[in-house]
Amino acid sequence: METIASPLETQKLCASWRAAGLKIGLVPTMGYLHAGHESLIVKALAESDRVVVSIFVNPTQFGPKEDLDKYPRDFQRDQSLCRSLGVSLIFAPSPDDMYPAGFATKVAVPSMAATLCGRNRPNHFDGVCLVCSKLFNVVGPRKAYFGLKDAQQYFVLARMVRDLNLDLELVPCPTVREPDGLALSSRNAYLNEAERKAATVLSRALDRAKGAALGGQRDPKALIDLIAATVAEEPLARLEYAQVVATGDLADVSADLSTIDGEILVAAALWLGQTRLIDNFLFTPPEARR
Ligand code: PAF
């Protein structure tokens, strides 16, 4: 396995693989890899001839008051895991490699970036679109793998890929969970013992809403109220948002769900102390037109 920091060198190596007819799978990450990342890598390995894992804590997707400096990092451990899984290349650029002096370009999907998590993280998805555009151009993957815990990220990027005619497929992968339901996230490392116990309220709240939807509840407000009421039972947790949107354009779904003609995303974010956690589920009303 190689580890390369230079975008140009990485681009050359990946171009040589493509020229030899090899299919590249890309797993973009910010490092501190966990079993969720591992599941993306395993899927990429099964579907590609060469797998590239990018490890880059991307400054452009963090707000001024967010956790860029304290974001957890363990490059050695990440390298060992990637090596043991059979990854071909870790692309690990520095911020200067990715954003050299004079860098001036922006990439954005404003309508889809302004809702859900974007309401309180105004530039986050612009930063994600920018860095992923660069990663796609440097690596030239046939497929890129994204976890659905960050469902908004996947849907925003899918729209960017479609709108810009980028020649790759984005592969959405299921959320990996702890046995008690907590969605895996590098940020779970911030939780103290009491917060870690309390964190299960998020998946519990979403499970209740999903159960209600499966049981026939078609009022989006009732699903949101159920999530809010469940989170309110946990004194350590503060709900940031719970929202129901259509997956195509992330438009708010305020009418009856039975009027929806496709898949919806029910998503929530909450705070435990200084730590922000997100989770979601996808649901297609069986009666929805396809
Ligand atoms: O999901 C992440 O870890 C990041 O947002 C990504 C896609 C690697 C871009 O920095």
Side-chain angles (χ1 to χ4, degrees):
M1 186 186 76
E2 295 199 51
T3 298
I4 305 181
S6 153
L8 194 61
E9 262 186 60
T10 301
Q11 206 160 31
K12 282 186 189 155
L13 179 60
C14 291
S16 74
W17 286 340
R18 282 196 307 280
L22 300 174
K23 278 187 294 209
I24 304 175
L26 170 66
V27 181
T29 83
M30 298 206 298
Y32 211 69
L33 305 179
H34 51 63
H37 298 112
E38 194 173 325
S39 73
L40 306 182
I41 295 171
V42 167
K43 190 162 172 59
L45 285 163
E47 298 181 348
S48 329
D49 302 307
R50 294 285 183 274
V51 169
V52 179
V53 173
S54 63
I55 298 185
F56 179 58
V57 183
N58 172 37
T60 63
Q61 70 188 74
F62 286 78
K65 295 195 182 126
E66 292 183 354
D67 56 345
L68 173 62
D69 291 336
K70 73 170 182 128
Y71 194 83
R73 291 161 167 92
D74 191 340
F75 192 68
Q76 304 271 307
R77 204 191 59 182
D78 292 347
Q79 262 187 325
S80 313
L81 177 69
C82 288
R83 190 174 293 112
S84 70
L85 289 171
V87 168
S88 306
L89 166 65
I90 293 182
F91 173 47
S94 70
D96 285 345
D97 290 324
M98 288 297 264
Y99 305 115
F103 190 94
T105 297
K106 288 193 184 310
V107 187
V109 187
S111 60
M112 292 174 73
T115 186
L116 301 163
C117 292
R119 291 199 299 193
N120 286 306
R121 304 189 75 190
N123 301 313
H124 173 71
F125 292 105
D126 298 359
V128 171
C129 287
L130 180 60
V131 78
C132 287
S133 308
K134 286 181 66 86
L135 293 171
F136 298 160
N137 284 327
V138 168
V139 173
R142 184 84 300 286
K143 295 183 180 183
Y145 298 79
F146 292 89
L148 278 174
K149 196 224 2 126
D150 298 298
Q152 184 177 13
Q153 167 170 278
Y154 165 75
F155 288 114
V156 169
L157 289 171
R159 179 56 61 104
M160 178 189 85
V161 164
R162 196 183 88 172
D163 288 355
L164 297 181
N165 303 95
L166 301 184
D167 188 17
L168 82 159
E169 183 190 331
L170 298 196
V171 183
C173 301
T175 302
V176 178
R177 297 177 182 281
E178 299 282 4
D180 66 4
L182 178 65
L184 294 193
S185 162
S186 303
R187 290 190 168 100
N188 293 351
Y190 298 151
L191 300 170
N192 65 30
E193 205 181 326
E195 290 165 349
R196 172 62 189 83
K197 272 194 196 139
T200 56
V201 73
L202 182 53
S203 56
R204 207 161 55 246
L206 286 159
D207 278 352
R208 276 196 200 161
K210 190 174 191 174
L214 286 168
Q217 179 55 264
R218 292 293 177 264
D219 177 0
K221 191 166 178 313
L223 299 181
I224 291 167
D225 288 348
L226 200 51
I227 294 169
T230 309
V231 172
E233 287 165 14
E234 173 47 67
L236 291 182
R238 180 174 63 77
L239 188 66
E240 180 182 298
Y241 75 79
Q243 232 182 304
V244 182
V245 298
T247 54
D249 55 4
L250 302 186
D252 217 357
V253 173
S254 41
D256 194 86
L257 290 190
S258 48
T259 65
I260 303 305
D261 61 2
E263 190 178 52
I264 55 159
L265 168 68
V266 181
L270 59 70
W271 287 87
L272 286 160
Q274 302 300 304
T275 306
R276 183 176 179 279
L277 301 179
I278 58 172
D279 200 351
N280 65 75
F281 67 89
L282 295 170
F283 176 72
T284 306
E287 66 277 16
R289 285 175 279 119
R290 299 217 167 235

